[in-house]
Amino acid sequence: MGELWAENEAVHLLSRTTFHVSSEDVQAALALGKEETVRRLIAGEPIHGEKVQLPPIEEVMADGKELKADNITDQQTYWLYRMTVSGEPLAEKMTLFWHNHFATSYRKVGYTELIRNQNDLFRSMALGNFRKLVLQIGQDPAMMLWLDSNNNRKGTPNENYAREVMELFTLGIGNYTEEDVQEAARAFTGWHYDRKEAKVQFYKKNHDDGLKLVLGETGNFNEQTVVDVLFRQEALAPYMARKLLEYFGTASPPEAWVNEVAADFAAKETIGEVLQSLFLSDEFYKPEYRLTIVKSPAEYVAGIIKALDLPISKSFINTMRKMGQELYMPPDVNGWEGGADWLIASSLLARSQFAESIASRVKNVMYQSEAYTPVRKDRAQAWVDLWSRNTGLWGLGERSRSVLAKYADDTFVHASSNINGMRGLLQLILVCPEAQMK
């Protein structure tokens, strides 16, 4: 394992594990070294400064009003707020990962509390044992309502959860048969979420306790032992390794890298240990993997809010919806496709409109502050370099840098004061191609 650890490597790590790459974090990471920086990210310890104590939703203000726990829009707003202030950004990113992996929508579930509780489950087990998470999600009330577990009874099994636990949650398409789905559905029978009592219960009379044949194994499987069968399949580790690499590594990871991470996934106890090994590997830091993953709307919006220290607003939720992502409301069981889908024309227009609104929202005092004024005020590129880093953009290409510098040179660099030109530069930085990537 190499020892290379310089600014480029620190920025790359932080861009994948946090929502905003600040100069303070980069300098702290360089001082700590790679191993200690990774350890702190995995452990949920701050890279620098004190750990932030997150207030409960009822104490958070948005648009001049307190948020309410029983309102889904307020819960969406609160989660976005968490992304911008959490002292455990990697855990928050993994919570977002699991929300897409075990995609569950409020539109069908209909209970804000259940959706919030599922989100808390993802957060509490974000970097923990994957098998335990799969076991718990099977009896999570929101998931049970989402995939019709209440209708899964002896004699008339409902296959929805059994199908998705194989296809989407553990093995992937092509690694099971329809007969496997049917037999596994029998193993999951008997569990029910009682809406009136607000609790999950097991009804023995509704459980099929006969022998089942699942993925070549025969047994009187139940909701736990059938999961054990899934976890004995060779397909599970590569499937999960690929998903983790597409989220943290690169959009199309090479097979050799997938196999390497899969071996780690199979051998290690927790997701945190798998990621620790990934973030310490030489492969992760190869230049060709930098800025190869499109930021999701949540990452894009949260990063800008954090960079510019903006107050949270419910309007951001509508903005994210226009960009193609509404928290707690994935489009279907497959979740958001992500990748290039985040950059279709309508989504790009929404990102541009958001950048324009942010540039207008920022107060004049920021544009004229010392933090946004370079030492060489007469050099347009000095303005571009400073502002791009202030907004968390460290990998600006020469073409973008040149275009932005020309705009700054033409509008405000040689003027005594031109706030409109400065607003234009901020907007252009936020919509440049590199700003969409991590």
Short mmCIF file of all heavy atoms in Angstrom, two decimals, residues 50 98 114 118 135 143-144 169 180 194 241 260 282 330 364 389:
data_model
loop_
_atom_site.label_atom_id
_atom_site.label_comp_id
_atom_site.label_asym_id
_atom_site.label_seq_id
_atom_site.Cartn_x
_atom_site.Cartn_y
_atom_site.Cartn_z
N GLU A 50 -14.93 20.66 17.02
CA GLU A 50 -15.74 19.86 17.91
C GLU A 50 -16.88 19.19 17.15
O GLU A 50 -17.34 19.68 16.12
CB GLU A 50 -16.33 20.75 19.03
CG GLU A 50 -15.28 21.42 19.90
CD GLU A 50 -14.45 20.42 20.69
OE1 GLU A 50 -15.04 19.42 21.15
OE2 GLU A 50 -13.24 20.63 20.82
N TRP A 98 -28.32 3.63 1.63
CA TRP A 98 -29.27 2.59 2.01
C TRP A 98 -30.70 2.97 1.63
O TRP A 98 -31.51 2.10 1.29
CB TRP A 98 -29.18 2.30 3.51
CG TRP A 98 -27.89 1.67 3.95
CD1 TRP A 98 -27.06 2.11 4.95
CD2 TRP A 98 -27.27 0.49 3.42
NE1 TRP A 98 -25.96 1.29 5.07
CE2 TRP A 98 -26.07 0.28 4.15
CE3 TRP A 98 -27.61 -0.41 2.41
CZ2 TRP A 98 -25.21 -0.79 3.89
CZ3 TRP A 98 -26.75 -1.48 2.15
CH2 TRP A 98 -25.57 -1.65 2.89
N LEU A 114 -43.24 6.23 10.22
CA LEU A 114 -42.62 4.97 9.78
C LEU A 114 -41.47 5.23 8.82
O LEU A 114 -40.42 4.57 8.90
CB LEU A 114 -43.67 4.07 9.13
CG LEU A 114 -44.84 3.62 10.01
CD1 LEU A 114 -45.68 2.58 9.29
CD2 LEU A 114 -44.35 3.08 11.35
N GLN A 118 -37.56 4.31 9.58
CA GLN A 118 -36.72 3.53 8.68
C GLN A 118 -35.42 4.27 8.41
O GLN A 118 -34.34 3.67 8.39
CB GLN A 118 -37.44 3.24 7.37
CG GLN A 118 -36.65 2.30 6.45
CD GLN A 118 -37.28 2.19 5.08
OE1 GLN A 118 -37.10 3.07 4.23
NE2 GLN A 118 -37.98 1.09 4.83
N LEU A 135 -31.79 -8.42 7.94
CA LEU A 135 -32.76 -9.03 8.84
C LEU A 135 -33.72 -8.00 9.40
O LEU A 135 -34.94 -8.23 9.47
CB LEU A 135 -32.04 -9.73 9.99
CG LEU A 135 -31.33 -11.05 9.64
CD1 LEU A 135 -30.50 -11.53 10.83
CD2 LEU A 135 -32.35 -12.12 9.25
N MET A 143 -41.13 -0.90 5.30
CA MET A 143 -40.84 -1.87 4.25
C MET A 143 -41.96 -2.89 4.14
O MET A 143 -42.33 -3.30 3.02
CB MET A 143 -39.51 -2.57 4.53
CG MET A 143 -39.12 -3.64 3.52
SD MET A 143 -38.87 -2.99 1.85
CE MET A 143 -37.30 -2.15 2.05
N MET A 144 -42.52 -3.30 5.27
CA MET A 144 -43.59 -4.29 5.24
C MET A 144 -44.82 -3.75 4.50
O MET A 144 -45.47 -4.48 3.75
CB MET A 144 -43.95 -4.70 6.67
CG MET A 144 -42.84 -5.46 7.38
SD MET A 144 -43.27 -5.93 9.08
CE MET A 144 -44.40 -7.29 8.74
N PHE A 169 -31.74 -6.39 -3.11
CA PHE A 169 -31.09 -6.18 -1.82
C PHE A 169 -29.84 -7.02 -1.60
O PHE A 169 -28.96 -6.61 -0.85
CB PHE A 169 -32.08 -6.48 -0.68
CG PHE A 169 -33.34 -5.64 -0.70
CD1 PHE A 169 -34.43 -6.00 0.07
CD2 PHE A 169 -33.44 -4.51 -1.50
CE1 PHE A 169 -35.59 -5.25 0.06
CE2 PHE A 169 -34.60 -3.75 -1.53
CZ PHE A 169 -35.68 -4.12 -0.74
N ASP A 180 -37.19 -20.07 -6.64
CA ASP A 180 -36.52 -19.60 -5.43
C ASP A 180 -37.33 -18.49 -4.76
O ASP A 180 -37.47 -18.45 -3.54
CB ASP A 180 -35.12 -19.07 -5.76
CG ASP A 180 -34.15 -20.17 -6.17
OD1 ASP A 180 -34.26 -21.28 -5.62
OD2 ASP A 180 -33.30 -19.91 -7.04
N ASP A 194 -49.31 -4.30 12.55
CA ASP A 194 -50.62 -3.85 13.01
C ASP A 194 -50.64 -2.33 13.09
O ASP A 194 -49.97 -1.75 13.94
CB ASP A 194 -50.93 -4.46 14.38
CG ASP A 194 -52.37 -4.25 14.81
OD1 ASP A 194 -52.87 -3.11 14.66
OD2 ASP A 194 -52.99 -5.20 15.31
N ALA A 241 -20.36 -5.28 -3.62
CA ALA A 241 -19.09 -4.59 -3.89
C ALA A 241 -19.25 -3.62 -5.06
O ALA A 241 -18.77 -2.48 -5.02
CB ALA A 241 -17.99 -5.61 -4.19
N GLU A 260 -11.82 -7.50 -5.86
CA GLU A 260 -11.01 -7.19 -4.67
C GLU A 260 -11.89 -6.73 -3.51
O GLU A 260 -11.74 -7.20 -2.37
CB GLU A 260 -9.99 -6.10 -5.02
CG GLU A 260 -9.06 -5.73 -3.88
CD GLU A 260 -8.09 -4.63 -4.29
OE1 GLU A 260 -7.69 -4.61 -5.48
OE2 GLU A 260 -7.74 -3.79 -3.43
N ASP A 282 -4.57 1.91 -2.73
CA ASP A 282 -3.96 2.72 -3.78
C ASP A 282 -4.93 2.91 -4.95
O ASP A 282 -4.96 3.97 -5.59
CB ASP A 282 -2.68 2.05 -4.29
CG ASP A 282 -1.57 2.05 -3.26
OD1 ASP A 282 -1.65 2.86 -2.32
OD2 ASP A 282 -0.64 1.24 -3.39
N PRO A 330 -38.57 7.68 -3.57
CA PRO A 330 -37.94 7.15 -4.78
C PRO A 330 -39.01 6.73 -5.79
O PRO A 330 -40.16 6.44 -5.41
CB PRO A 330 -37.16 5.93 -4.25
CG PRO A 330 -37.84 5.56 -2.98
CD PRO A 330 -38.32 6.84 -2.38
N ASN A 364 -24.66 40.69 -0.08
CA ASN A 364 -23.54 41.44 -0.66
C ASN A 364 -22.28 41.36 0.19
O ASN A 364 -21.17 41.36 -0.33
CB ASN A 364 -23.93 42.91 -0.84
CG ASN A 364 -24.96 43.10 -1.95
OD1 ASN A 364 -25.36 42.14 -2.60
ND2 ASN A 364 -25.37 44.34 -2.16
N ARG A 389 -12.68 27.07 -4.82
CA ARG A 389 -12.33 26.30 -3.62
C ARG A 389 -13.27 26.62 -2.46
O ARG A 389 -13.64 25.74 -1.68
CB ARG A 389 -10.88 26.56 -3.23
CG ARG A 389 -9.90 25.96 -4.22
CD ARG A 389 -8.49 25.86 -3.67
NE ARG A 389 -7.64 25.10 -4.58
CZ ARG A 389 -6.46 24.60 -4.24
NH1 ARG A 389 -5.99 24.77 -3.02
NH2 ARG A 389 -5.75 23.92 -5.11
#
